[in-house]
């Protein structure tokens, strides 16, 4: 476990936009949704972000929570996540993000014991999906469950806000206001979803999923997903 005198500093570092976890190369389906004409303005971005957080609570948070409780079932959680992410774009993005998260965390926190986790993923030839790996990594780093859940959903909202800025939909100040608005949903979503089991995961944002699946067919793209 990572030895940190004040866990707040570690969390601030993880949430900092400069932390190279690879999240800024993904838009969570926003780019394709914009190209499909489903999001056209700031109000649409806000609605998208709130739906993304709600969906993350139902589809990802149970896997994050279960992996945080115990990494012994990581293989089963990884297989479940792979079966759930039938959208090839989302599946590919999830596989890519675990590498960035584990590598960046191991390099940034050298006193942490993340080596065995990375070795296990490779030895057992797991897909290494982001949701369960996120929970396992934060547990190794010593971040408690509630803060892990909050951090996961906060990063989901921030992904949308930062992507919207790069896509020219909103400005930097608007993005900060958006983050303030959607962050109010985080504890509400956790309260609704914290007791869900891995097999309770569900797709609650089919339109976003459908639009995201067209990402590779866009003529030009800023993001990988």
């Amino acid at each position: 476990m990572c030895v940190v005198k004040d866990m707040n500093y570690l969390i601030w570092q993880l949430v900092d936009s400069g932390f190279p976890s690879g999240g800024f190369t993904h838009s969570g389906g926003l780019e394709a949704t914009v190209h499909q004409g489903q999001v056209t303005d700031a109000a649409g971005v806000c609605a998208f972000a709130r739906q993304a957080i709600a969906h993350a609570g139902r589809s990802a948070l149970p896997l994050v929570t279960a992996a945080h409780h115990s990494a012994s079932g990581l293989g089963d959680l990884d297989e479940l996540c792979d079966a759930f992410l039938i959208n090839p774009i989302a599946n590919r993005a999830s596989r890519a993000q675990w590498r960035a998260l584990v590598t960046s965390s191991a390099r940034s926190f050298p006193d942490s014991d993340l080596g065995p986790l990375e070795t296990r993923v490779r030895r057992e030839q797991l897909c290494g999906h982001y949701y369960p790996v996120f929970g396992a990594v934060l547990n190794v780093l010593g971040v408690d469950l509630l803060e892990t859940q909050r951090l996961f959903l906060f990063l989901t909202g921030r992904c949308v806000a930062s992507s919207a800025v790069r896509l020219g939909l909103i400005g930097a100040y608007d993005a900060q206001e958006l983050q303030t608005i959607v962050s109010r949903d985080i504890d509400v979503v956790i309260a609704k979803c914290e007791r869900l089991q891995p097999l309770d995961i569900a797709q609650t944002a089919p339109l976003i999923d459908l639009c995201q699946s067209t990402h590779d067919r866009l003529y030009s793209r800023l993001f990988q997903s």
Side-chain angles (χ1 to χ4, degrees), residues 39-109:
V39 174
T40 59
D41 54 19
V45 172
C46 185
F48 184 99
R50 297 189 69 180
Q51 183 60 55
I53 289 176
H55 175 58
R58 284 304 312 270
S59 65
L61 206 62
L63 301 177
V64 173
T65 300
H68 189 279
H69 281 313
S70 174
S72 62
L74 186 63
D76 291 337
L77 295 173
D78 188 68
E79 288 184 7
L80 176 60
C81 189
D82 192 55
F84 178 75
L85 293 174
I86 59 173
N87 171 352
I89 309 302
N91 192 298
R92 183 183 65 203
S94 178
R95 291 170 182 247
Q97 284 182 278
W98 87 266
R99 297 184 186 90
L101 175 64
V102 173
T103 300
S104 298
S105 298
R107 294 286 297 274
S108 302
F109 311 113

Side-chain angles (χ1 to χ4, degrees), residues 139-181:
N139 181 51
V140 171
L141 293 178
V143 181
D144 68 41
L145 178 59
L146 178 58
E147 292 307 313
T148 296
Q149 293 168 330
R150 284 173 168 167
L151 180 60
F152 183 82
L153 295 180
F154 179 87
L155 292 174
T156 299
R158 193 188 66 183
C159 170
V160 175
S162 62
S163 299
V165 172
R166 293 178 63 186
L167 290 168
L169 292 167
I170 59 177
Y173 292 132
D174 298 320
Q176 293 305 309
E177 181 181 3
L178 172 64
Q179 192 74 68
T180 299
I181 293 171

Side-chain angles (χ1 to χ4, degrees), residues 124-141:
E124 298 181 12
Q125 297 183 332
L126 304 181
C127 298
H129 281 292
Y130 179 66
Y131 305 158
V133 169
F134 186 94
V137 167
L138 270 289
N139 181 51
V140 171
L141 293 178

